[in-house]
Amino acid sequence: MGNLSHFKGVLVLFGLLALVGLATGAQFYKLFQPSWATDHFMYEGDVLKLRLDKYSGAGFASKGKYMFGKVTVQIKLVEGDSAGTVTAFYMSSDGPNHNEFDFEFLGNTTGEPYVVQTNVYVNGVGNREQRLNLWFDPTKDFHSYSILWNQRQVVFLVDETPVRVHSNLEHRGIPYPKNQPMGVYSSIWNADDWATQGGRVKTDWSHAPFVASYRGFDINACPCPDNVAWADNTRRCSSSTERRFWWDSPTVSELNLHQSHQLIWVRANHMIYDYCRDTARFPVTPAECEHHRH
C-alpha cells in the first residue's frame, strides 16, 4: 500500500512539473515564438533554455512589433568556459535602413569576467559599441536586462541600473530611432571569429552544449500591427491631448538623479570600451559623442 501511495505521489509530482512546464511555455508563447532550431529549446520548470552545440545555436522572436515602451528578460548566461559564444538580446526593425538596440554577452574563458557589449543602429548604421564588465557573475543566477525606449531616449538597464543612454539629439541634426516598429529577439550562436579577445580564443566544443537560460519575459510597449503604416503607428503610440502613455511621462523622459549617479558609477568602474573614445576607429569624434558624456 505504501508503494502504491508513493507511486501515486510520483505521478502527481510529474503532473505538477508538466503543468509548470506548460505554464512556462504559455508565458513564452504568448509573446514569442522560436525563430530557428526548435530542437535546441528546452523547458525546465519556469525556465526556457537555449542550447548551442557544433551543429546549431537557437533563437526566438516576438510575435509582434512595438513602438516605444520597455522590454525585459531575465537571463542566466552560459557557465564555465563560454569562449567564442554570444548570447544576444535585442530589438530591431526590418530592412537595410533598420534601427536596432543590442545587448550582446560575449563568452569568456573560465575565470574571466563576462563582457557585455551594447550597440545602437540608426537608419542601418551601427558602429556605436560600448563594452563593460558586470559587477556580478551573470552565470550564477538570473539577472534582468531591459531596454527602455521613448521619443527622448533609449536606456539599457541591468537589474534596473542604467548602463547606457542614447539620447534624442535631432535638434542638433543627429538622427534618432523613433519611427520604425521593432521586434524583440534573443539568440545564442557561435562567433569565435570575434567574440572572445578579438577572435584569438576559439570555441572549445568539448564543453558543448552551451546553455543560456531565460525566464521573466515581459513586454510593456505599444503594439504595431503589420498592416498599419509606420507614420500611423508613430502617431498611435505617441501621447496626445486625448491619451497619455507611461513612456512619455516626465519620469522616464530622462534619468533621475539617482539613475544619473548609477550611470556615472558604471562608466567609471565597469566600462572597458567606448567607441566615442576610440580615436583609431574615429579620428573625428562621432557627433553624438559630444552630447552623450555623463
Side-chain angles (χ1 to χ4, degrees), residues 70-197:
K70 185 178 182 182
V71 299
T72 300
V73 70
Q74 295 176 20
I75 308 175
K76 183 165 70 172
L77 295 169
V78 177
E79 293 189 63
D81 185 349
S82 56
T85 71
V86 172
T87 304
F89 171 59
Y90 60 104
M91 298 184 72
S92 181
S93 58
D94 298 329
N97 297 319
H98 73 292
N99 299 326
E100 186 174 328
F101 313 137
D102 296 334
F103 273 111
E104 292 179 308
F105 305 95
L106 312 184
N108 62 353
T109 55
T110 304
E112 293 187 354
Y114 241 97
V115 173
V116 180
Q117 176 171 284
T118 60
N119 202 354
V120 175
Y121 284 74
V122 184
N123 297 331
V125 179
N127 299 322
R128 297 180 177 90
E129 299 90 348
Q130 292 181 356
R131 294 185 178 185
L132 61 134
N133 292 327
L134 294 169
W135 50 95
F136 53 82
D137 185 344
T139 72
K140 297 303 182 186
D141 204 352
F142 287 90
H143 293 269
S144 67
Y145 303 93
S146 305
I147 300 168
L148 168 68
W149 175 34
N150 58 36
Q151 297 193 68
R152 298 287 297 276
Q153 60 180 359
V154 180
V155 185
F156 295 77
L157 303 116
V158 176
D159 290 335
E160 293 303 308
T161 295
V163 299
R164 179 174 186 166
V165 174
H166 185 86
S167 302
N168 186 337
L169 299 170
E170 288 180 306
H171 62 286
R172 298 185 181 273
I174 298 169
Y176 180 78
K178 69 172 190 179
N179 60 0
Q180 297 182 32
M182 289 184 161
V184 187
Y185 304 88
S186 188
S187 59
I188 183 171
W189 45 291
N190 178 45
D192 65 5
D193 56 329
W194 65 272
T196 306
Q197 297 181 26

Side-chain angles (χ1 to χ4, degrees), residues 33-41 52 56-60 186-189:
Q33 58 193 5
S35 48
W36 50 290
T38 54
D39 60 336
H40 283 55
F41 282 64
L52 166 67
S56 179
F60 60 82
S186 188
S187 59
I188 183 171
W189 45 291

Side-chain angles (χ1 to χ4, degrees), residues 243-260:
R243 60 186 183 275
R244 188 75 181 173
F245 294 119
W246 71 264
W247 50 82
D248 288 324
S249 66
T251 56
V252 292
S253 64
E254 60 183 8
L255 299 187
N256 61 36
L257 185 60
H258 176 62
Q259 290 173 320
S260 296

